[in-house]
Amino acid sequence: MLVDLIQNTLDGLTAGAAYALLAIGFTLIFGVLRRINLSYGPAIMLGCYAATWFHVQFQVGLLVLAALTLAATVLAGAYVERLCFAPHRDRSAIAAMVASFAIWMQLEELATLVLPNHLYAFPALYEGGPLSLGPFTLRAEALVMFAVTVLACLALQRLLYRSRFGLSVRAVIDQPVAARLVGINLPWVFVRVFAVASALGAVAGYLIVASAGQVTPMLGMWSTLKGMLAMMLGGLGSLPGAIVGGLALGLIEAHSQWFFGPQVRDLTAYFLLFALLALRPSGLWTTPRHG
Amino acid sequence: MAKSALFLILALASLPASAQRAQAELACTPSNTDFAYHCVVRLSRGGQPLPGADVSVGADMPSMPMAHNVRPVKAKPGKAPGEYQARLDLEMLGEWAVKLRLRGPVNDQLILHYDFDEKGARPVIRSGRLPRK
Amino acid sequence: MDDYVTGVLTNIGLFSFLALSAYLLLIAGEMSFGQQAFFGVGAYSGGILTAIYGLPLPVAALVAMLLGSLCAFLVGLPTLRLRGLYFAMATLAAAEMARILFELFRFQRQIGGELVGPDGTQGFRGIRWVFERGVEPAGYLALVWGLLLIALVVFLLMERSRLGATLRAIGEDPDLARSCGISVERFKLGVAAAAGALAALGGVLFAHHNTYIEPRNFDIMLGVHSLAYALIGGLGTAFGPLLGVMVDLGVLEGSRVFQGYRMIAFGGLVAILLIFRPRGLLDEKVVHWLRARFS
């Protein structure tokens, strides 16, 4: 029993690390733009599909695949920013969100046109079996996932707190009007935030796909939903919150799946989100400025 | 028009249900065109082949109902009794709910779930507890 | 009319109920990502009432609408004071909960020698009330569009009344509306309940048209599409959502010009349209202009 509990906690934290990465990207965009980017996951999916296509055609190596995923995701992210967010900067948040949904449809169809099957193999990070630590097992991918998540968080921390770009990003998050008044070039900040968020999403997507060993068209919706859920659980627009939310989501899912099965796992996550929103809409996090 | 349709429905409210339902099986092979399949429908009722029906074959995507209208095609009688042939022109691979509209000796509508891939179509067997990803 | 045209027109009618439901909340200033749940509640409850309990369709539809509005009321109660994106997320969570509950829902009875009723992820077969009464596709099309027409007339009357003005006032600026003595929360709950009933009616009709429903029918895609339809069609008049549905299902899908590329065309069209017309084709300005010209 205790062994199972600890094993589930390990598995939950592994999944949670991936959720946290997804949520950080989501949160960066929400924190800076105060917009929800539904195309976040589909852009990641397109990146993974582009890499898979290259793999199917040319059998490239792991690092090349990772680089391809990153490049294609950032490119797709830039496309989303130009078409859905730049034009609606000072206007309706709803219009921007619906536009990002429309582009989601585009990206998903584009990906499935290039690779129409329901499932494609993706080269795994590590071919061997899981590592055993006494009574527990841990997949090698999980360690990579943790390590990369920690590294990505540290890199983001440096970027946000040690660079001029980071300073302007934090200024825009905290005081958007003042940031504009002191002459921060908002459009340029937005574009770069999108690029950083997409890159983080691509890292998460690559790790998820490589540890699953496959890509499916579900990846887009899955990434958007998990990233959004983790972001909301941790508190809208807060970066440490996104990490906590991601890990919490992973833990909740792992434990409720073990006790009640996969359907109740999803049900629990959504119920928690609903309850948090209904009971503490402003208590756990700051109120939106112009959501 | 709406009122008369409603009236028709009310007037016919007490008809008995049909005695025994028809059953169908599907076998599809891919054609030369992408996403198009040559399909053979085998109809039976109570274990016996069911020839002479007027069969039209359509398809729907389970996760986006009402939005993918695959044009229903009339099936032609096939080689054996109870067999019907049709060419099904889908929009993409994946799971489709194939909709058979039967007229003639039976008046019925059957929904069959098949997974279409580059090799053909297989019936979808779904257990209650499959992870969604 | 061949089966294909009848089928497309029926689908346009069915989807319009859902788009109108999303539209009703949009003009009151709320964006719901969860109207598909009430569509599902209508489909499941209506199907159970006719297929298992043998109730006539009109009775089943009324009960389903009541149930749909009750569910929408209950979801709205704790969430309608949330604003904007928060409400959108809460409704999304509620709708996904509903979809998973449909997956867990098993309720089967022996009817005429076969098992009928919802069977979890296996879906719910044999909603054959309309079918067994020999209603031809054209007759059902007339029923769907007849009911849709009634809904549209109610909308048009409502929008020209004081109630319509109140709703738009709440949608434009809830604080201002509140300071004018309007009970914003109560109005919004009423709107949510009405939108739930409308979606549920669409669901009942969908279930009986299809004879088969399954939980996946009611996933987030359905809800977001109805929202997109309302928004591209326009928030100025109840014809807007209808126009939105027609553009996608009628022109893009029906014409088959973009076969295989339809979502690329539709997605791009919506994104570009929203840049130039953030409140849709038939927005308030256009409707005003049309009214001034033709009345």
Side-chain angles (χ1 to χ4, degrees):
Chain A
M1 183 67 193
L2 188 66
V3 173
D4 285 326
L5 265 178
I6 296 174
Q7 180 67 51
N8 287 337
T9 306
L10 275 177
D11 294 345
L13 287 174
T14 310
Y19 295 160
L21 268 183
L22 287 172
I24 292 172
F26 223 107
T27 302
L28 261 182
I29 295 175
F30 184 83
V32 175
L33 278 79
R34 295 275 138 186
R35 299 281 185 272
I36 291 215
N37 175 16
L38 291 176
S39 259
Y40 178 66
I44 297 170
M45 172 199 173
L46 194 78
C48 293
Y49 263 65
T52 310
W53 183 82
F54 257 88
H55 179 70
V56 170
Q57 302 288 323
F58 308 112
Q59 298 289 323
V60 290
L62 282 181
L63 276 177
V64 182
L65 274 183
L68 279 170
T69 311
L70 193 78
T73 307
V74 172
L75 219 68
Y79 173 66
V80 172
E81 201 274 339
R82 287 290 93 194
L83 209 56
C84 307
F85 293 91
H88 299 288
R89 190 154 295 142
D90 302 313
R91 293 194 285 168
S92 159
I94 290 180
M97 184 157 155
V98 173
S100 76
F101 167 71
I103 297 306
W104 167 348
M105 299 286 99
Q106 265 197 329
L107 297 180
E108 208 167 271
E109 181 146 51
L110 193 66
T112 47
L113 273 178
V114 177
L115 298 172
N117 284 3
H118 189 66
L119 204 150
Y120 284 88
F122 197 90
L125 277 177
Y126 174 72
E127 297 292 346
L131 316 169
S132 44
L133 306 158
F136 309 115
T137 56
L138 195 64
R139 297 178 62 203
E141 289 93 342
L143 288 177
V144 178
M145 189 90 86
F146 272 125
V148 173
T149 305
V150 171
L151 279 178
C153 289
L154 288 177
L156 188 67
Q157 164 88 14
R158 264 198 87 77
L159 183 68
L160 285 181
Y161 289 90
R162 294 275 185 282
S163 76
R164 209 175 156 72
F165 166 61
L167 185 66
S168 41
V169 168
R170 284 182 292 128
V172 174
I173 292 179
D174 292 337
Q175 292 290 336
V177 179
R180 192 189 303 236
L181 288 178
V182 297
I184 291 173
N185 183 353
L186 284 181
W188 183 225
V189 170
F190 291 154
V191 172
R192 288 203 286 172
V193 160
F194 242 86
V196 173
S198 302
L200 283 168
V203 172
Y206 174 78
L207 289 173
I208 290 161
V209 166
S211 39
Q214 62 183 52
V215 286
T216 76
M218 293 300 291
L219 181 67
M221 188 199 267
W222 185 86
S223 310
T224 290
L225 282 181
K226 297 296 181 196
M228 201 153 67
L229 216 56
M231 171 178 85
M232 309 285 297
L233 285 177
L236 267 179
S238 139
L239 289 174
I243 299 172
V244 174
L247 293 175
L249 180 63
L251 286 175
I252 294 162
E253 286 194 351
H255 286 292
S256 55
Q257 163 146 350
W258 192 79
F259 283 111
F260 308 109
Q263 280 155 341
V264 176
R265 171 197 68 193
D266 293 348
L267 193 64
T268 317
Y270 286 117
F271 177 76
L272 219 72
L273 173 59
F274 185 82
L276 270 177
L277 281 168
L279 299 176
R280 307 282 303 268
S282 55
L284 278 182
W285 45 73
T286 51
T287 44
R289 269 174 292 264
H290 40 89
Chain B
M1 194 139 142
K3 267 195 183 150
S4 67
L6 205 65
F7 177 73
L8 186 74
I9 287 174
L10 284 170
L12 294 168
S14 52
L15 281 180
S18 60
Q20 197 164 21
R21 301 277 310 271
Q23 299 205 305
E25 249 179 70
L26 202 64
C28 295
T29 47
S31 71
N32 294 327
T33 321
D34 271 355
F35 313 139
Y37 293 82
H38 295 298
C39 292
V40 177
V41 180
R42 282 187 202 90
L43 282 187
S44 61
R45 186 163 55 175
Q48 296 297 314
L50 182 66
D54 177 27
V55 181
S56 91
V57 188
D60 240 334
M61 286 217 97
S63 66
M64 197 55 210
M66 302 179 281
H68 293 270
N69 299 291
V70 169
R71 184 182 284 275
V73 282
K74 287 247 179 292
K76 292 188 213 60
K79 290 167 198 129
E83 282 193 1
Y84 304 83
Q85 291 176 338
R87 191 187 130 105
L88 201 51
D89 209 345
L90 301 174
E91 289 173 3
M92 56 185 95
L93 302 178
E95 193 180 330
W96 286 86
V98 177
K99 202 187 263 186
L100 301 177
R101 183 81 164 81
L102 315 179
R103 293 185 178 94
V106 279
N107 192 18
D108 207 341
Q109 179 164 293
L110 304 175
I111 314 268
L112 311 167
H113 281 83
Y114 276 81
D115 202 352
F116 289 85
D117 58 24
E118 70 272 38
K119 291 184 212 77
R122 282 167 290 116
V124 175
I125 303 143
R126 242 175 295 150
S127 76
R129 308 209 132 185
L130 261 183
R132 284 200 300 128
K133 199 201 161 214
Chain C
M1 254 192 312
D2 68 353
D3 276 2
Y4 176 64
V5 177
T6 315
V8 172
L9 288 177
T10 307
N11 282 336
I12 289 177
L14 292 170
F15 225 137
S16 295
F17 282 99
L18 202 54
L20 270 176
S21 171
Y23 165 83
L24 182 56
L25 278 162
L26 277 173
I27 55 172
E30 294 289 358
M31 178 174 58
S32 166
F33 269 45
Q35 294 311 103
Q36 72 273 22
F38 312 121
F39 195 79
V41 167
Y44 269 89
S45 57
I48 289 171
L49 289 173
T50 60
I52 296 185
Y53 294 111
L55 286 179
L57 180 63
V59 179
L62 280 178
V63 177
M65 283 171 76
L66 275 175
L67 211 61
S69 69
L70 180 71
C71 292
F73 179 83
L74 290 178
V75 170
L77 210 54
T79 55
L80 271 170
R81 65 205 158 82
L82 303 172
R83 281 212 182 164
L85 297 171
Y86 292 76
F87 178 74
M89 291 306 110
T91 46
L92 170 67
E96 282 293 282
M97 282 196 304
R99 184 183 57 74
I100 299 168
L101 289 174
F102 292 146
E103 284 184 0
L104 296 166
F105 183 38
R106 287 195 173 75
F107 182 76
Q108 289 191 296
R109 295 288 178 276
Q110 285 283 348
I111 308 284
E114 63 174 325
L115 270 178
V116 174
D119 182 21
T121 48
Q122 304 286 337
F124 179 1
R125 273 166 213 282
I127 308 172
R128 304 162 52 76
W129 200 93
V130 168
F131 200 81
E132 276 164 0
R133 273 144 198 88
V135 179
E136 282 298 309
Y140 201 69
L141 175 68
L143 174 70
V144 169
W145 277 84
L147 288 171
L148 186 62
L149 218 65
I150 295 173
L152 271 177
V153 168
V154 172
F155 260 95
L156 291 180
L157 289 177
M158 186 272 289
E159 295 217 35
R160 293 191 148 236
S161 72
R162 205 184 149 75
L163 181 64
T166 311
L167 279 186
R168 289 204 181 262
I170 293 173
E172 287 284 316
D173 191 337
D175 296 326
L176 190 64
R178 196 174 287 119
S179 69
C180 294
I182 297 170
S183 170
V184 173
E185 275 67 29
R186 224 187 266 169
F187 260 100
K188 279 195 176 172
L189 270 177
V191 166
L198 202 59
L201 177 60
V204 177
L205 295 171
F206 165 69
H208 287 83
H209 170 63
N210 225 25
T211 70
Y212 167 78
I213 52 177
E214 61 177 306
R216 272 186 304 171
N217 290 160
F218 313 108
D219 71 7
I220 173 182
M221 280 294 155
L222 192 63
V224 187
H225 267 92
S226 59
L227 198 66
Y229 290 156
L231 208 58
I232 56 170
L235 299 182
T237 159
F239 288 111
L242 226 67
L243 180 69
V245 178
M246 280 180 192
V247 166
D248 187 34
L249 295 194
V251 179
L252 289 184
E253 226 279 331
S255 72
R256 312 241 101 196
V257 175
F258 297 103
Q259 183 173 16
Y261 305 90
R262 162 171 159 234
M263 281 305 168
I264 294 180
F266 176 64
L269 185 76
V270 172
I272 291 167
L273 192 78
L274 284 172
I275 296 174
F276 299 106
R277 306 201 67 82
R279 286 179 77 80
L281 285 170
L282 296 173
D283 63 5
E284 287 87 346
K285 264 190 208 141
V286 170
V287 172
H288 235 83
W289 182 82
L290 285 173
R291 244 181 226 151
R293 295 276 322 235
F294 297 106
S295 67

